[in-house]
Amino acid sequence: MNAGLVHRWTGPFSCAANNALSVHRLEQVPFLPMSDTIDHWMRLAARLAVRGHGHVEPNPMVGCIILDRSGALVGMGHHRVVGGPHAEVEALRKAGAKARGGTVIVTLEPCTNHGRTPPCVESLRSAGILQVFYGERDPNPEAAGGEAWLCGAGIPTQQRSTPQTRELIAPFAKRTATGLPWVIAKWAQTVDGRIATRSHDSQWISCERSRAMVHRERGRVDVILTGIGTVMRDDPLLTCRSGSPCRNAVRVVVDPELNIPLDRKIVMTAKTHRTIVTTLPKAFSEKSEHRRALGDLGVGCMKQHSDFRGLLEALRREFDASTVLVEAGGGLTGALLREGLIDEAWVFVGPRLLGDETAFGPARGFTTPRIQDGIPMRLLSVRQRGTDALLHYRFGG
Ligand SMILES: NC(=O)c1ccc[n+]([C@@H]2O[C@H](COP(=O)([O-])OP(=O)(O)OC[C@H]3O[C@@H](n4cnc5c(N)ncnc54)[C@H](OP(=O)(O)O)[C@@H]3O)[C@@H](O)[C@H]2O)c1
């Protein structure tokens, strides 16, 4: 497939320090893609990258495209599994000898370090790649510097950041900068923004297809976080019951007073699905008998931290958590939002309207007299799933 050829490149490559060498190399490059052509391939590379979700974390999701000298697609690859070959290596493998003299379009700057796999920059040079476009700089200082390395090797290299590549790198960039896992809140609401009726009925607001998607996602995260309110009202299992999970999420219940009854489904299944309850230090010591009974059923107890940031740090430390899925009511979701700890929201809007102002909303605990006092969110996508609309939002940045 040829996505459009031009003979004159108008954008500068960034190998300023190596200009003479770069210009010399550029003359040998028979195919110079136009700016919108690169964006087209970068979007495809980003779509490939997403296939690694759930398999590659704590690594970033990365996708790569290789075009031959004439601009024809000869290789595609994505980072499939942590510790496995990087996207560039996968794509080079597919392209074989056709990669020589070709163009690489990759969502992340090629790595320079000997980690679990050899440096991608060396693989690209050995394969005879003539030019590289990458989406985002590598936030990991140990692997960064791919652009400078490639330019030093006489391979013109240019950053082409796009909205898709920025979304892809965000969880990894956050983990690298803060040590905190990526937090996704999910809820199902009616058209008038209610997650449960005044009598706490919430099953089911979303359709079967939406619920199947949530099941799949549970198998791709490290922790599923909920509150005691949800456990008491809905008695959820919070397990992945769709396909084969690529991760075994730990279920964590925020239960300040250690009130969780022994007959809840989440407790009864704790021997097969790891389950932790976090509770205030006072309840932790005063309710030692209940703690023991929970322990006999396989539930671990953890002292609650002074804030939820502390809890996320502990989840990272104790369970190597990279991703947390919050499936809670307005109490817990609101508390996490007040601390600015939720990165992403999936809102399933079911086709019903309650018209009852005492029904429950997805977050509480705020005072917001003016619209501009509300938490700003950025809409990433709108999709139809069965009879629902799925709205995908990003908080902050
Ligand atoms: N439609 C949906 O997608 C969906 C999903 C889940 C749940 N729900 C509905 O939501 C309702 C339950 O909501 P909920 O708000 O009662 O329960 P919840 O959010 O599941 O849990 C609330 C728990 O979090 C604790 N909490 C809140 N802020 C805290 C903080 N700053 N520090 C420590 N702990 C804190 C609360 O403690 P305190 O008791 O001390 O405040 C409470 O125990 C149910 O009706 C359920 O059906 C709907």
Side-chain angles (χ1 to χ4, degrees), residues 191-257:
V191 172
D192 51 343
R194 306 297 173 160
I195 65 160
T197 66
R198 61 166 74 194
S199 58
H200 288 286
D201 184 28
S202 67
Q203 293 171 345
W204 297 106
I205 294 172
S206 56
C207 69
E208 232 168 89
R209 275 196 63 195
S210 298
R211 300 204 300 276
M213 181 188 163
V214 174
H215 275 282
R216 274 198 305 280
E217 190 57 25
R218 285 178 187 160
R220 290 177 180 161
V221 296
D222 297 312
V223 169
I224 298 165
L225 184 63
T226 192
I228 186 66
T230 300
V231 170
M232 298 304 274
R233 303 288 178 178
D234 299 349
D235 195 13
L237 259 175
L238 300 179
T239 53
C240 165
R241 302 193 289 284
S242 159
S244 44
C246 37
R247 300 189 161 227
N248 289 318
V250 183
R251 302 174 299 179
V252 177
V253 182
V254 176
D255 179 9
E257 304 300 332

Side-chain angles (χ1 to χ4, degrees), residues 19-91:
N19 222 13
L21 186 56
S22 303
V23 170
H24 169 71
R25 297 281 294 195
L26 274 171
E27 282 163 5
Q28 300 172 19
V29 178
F31 162 67
L32 292 171
M34 276 191 297
S35 182
D36 57 352
T37 309
I38 302 163
D39 289 347
H40 161 84
W41 291 118
M42 196 62 89
R43 276 196 295 276
L44 179 60
R47 287 222 302 276
L48 287 172
V50 172
R51 294 184 185 173
H53 174 43
H55 299 273
V56 301
E57 294 86 357
N59 281 355
M61 295 173 270
V62 185
C64 180
I65 296 289
I66 299 181
L67 309 177
D68 71 5
R69 286 175 167 275
S70 70
L73 176 65
V74 289
M76 296 197 289
H78 68 279
H79 185 34
R80 287 171 189 273
V81 63
V82 64
H86 289 182
E88 295 92 321
V89 175
E90 284 268 325

Side-chain angles (χ1 to χ4, degrees), residues 154-375:
I155 300 172
T157 299
Q158 191 190 33
Q159 185 179 12
R160 298 286 304 196
S161 178
T162 66
Q164 293 82 9
T165 57
R166 285 194 288 279
E167 293 310 324
L168 275 178
I169 199 65
F172 182 67
K174 178 191 177 188
R175 283 195 296 275
T176 308
T178 66
L180 293 177
W182 188 252
V183 181
I184 304 161
K186 161 262 144 187
W187 66 82
Q189 66 172 50
T190 60
V191 172
D192 51 343
R194 306 297 173 160
I195 65 160
T197 66
R198 61 166 74 194
S199 58
H200 288 286
D201 184 28
S202 67
Q203 293 171 345
W204 297 106
I205 294 172
S206 56
C207 69
E208 232 168 89
R209 275 196 63 195
S210 298
R211 300 204 300 276
M213 181 188 163
V214 174
H215 275 282
R216 274 198 305 280
E217 190 57 25
R218 285 178 187 160
R220 290 177 180 161
V221 296
D222 297 312
V223 169
I224 298 165
L225 184 63
T226 192
I228 186 66
T230 300
V231 170
M232 298 304 274
R233 303 288 178 178
D234 299 349
D235 195 13
L237 259 175
L238 300 179
T239 53
C240 165
R241 302 193 289 284
S242 159
S244 44
C246 37
R247 300 189 161 227
N248 289 318
V250 183
R251 302 174 299 179
V252 177
V253 182
V254 176
D255 179 9
E257 304 300 332
L258 198 59
N259 286 330
I260 191 165
L262 300 180
D263 65 354
R264 299 286 96 177
K265 286 182 192 151
I266 206 163
V267 173
M268 309 279 280
T269 53
K271 287 210 168 132
T272 48
H273 298 86
R274 196 161 182 192
T275 307
I276 305 288
V277 172
T278 73
T279 194
L280 287 171
K282 190 164 177 283
F284 188 91
S285 47
E286 283 176 3
K287 295 190 174 174
S288 55
E289 217 159 284
H290 189 45
R291 234 179 345 107
R292 252 193 307 279
L294 287 167
D296 288 346
L297 292 168
V299 177
C301 278
M302 218 163 93
K303 279 190 197 153
Q304 195 167 302
H305 296 78
S306 55
D307 55 19
F308 282 111
R309 191 186 170 89
L311 172 63
L312 292 184
E313 279 164 356
L315 295 177
R316 175 73 198 254
R317 214 174 34 246
E318 304 288 323
F319 308 114
D320 200 16
S322 296
T323 36
V324 174
L325 180 66
V326 181
E327 295 196 52
L332 183 56
T333 303
L336 290 163
L337 282 172
R338 282 199 298 284
E339 284 191 42
L341 293 172
I342 299 183
D343 300 294
E344 197 173 316
W346 299 345
V347 183
F348 294 89
V349 183
R352 268 183 210 282
L353 193 143
L354 300 184
D356 180 351
E357 69 276 17
T358 61
F360 296 91
R364 61 174 186 271
F366 291 86
T367 310
T368 42
R370 300 172 309 165
I371 289 295
Q372 61 260 45
D373 297 326
I375 302 172

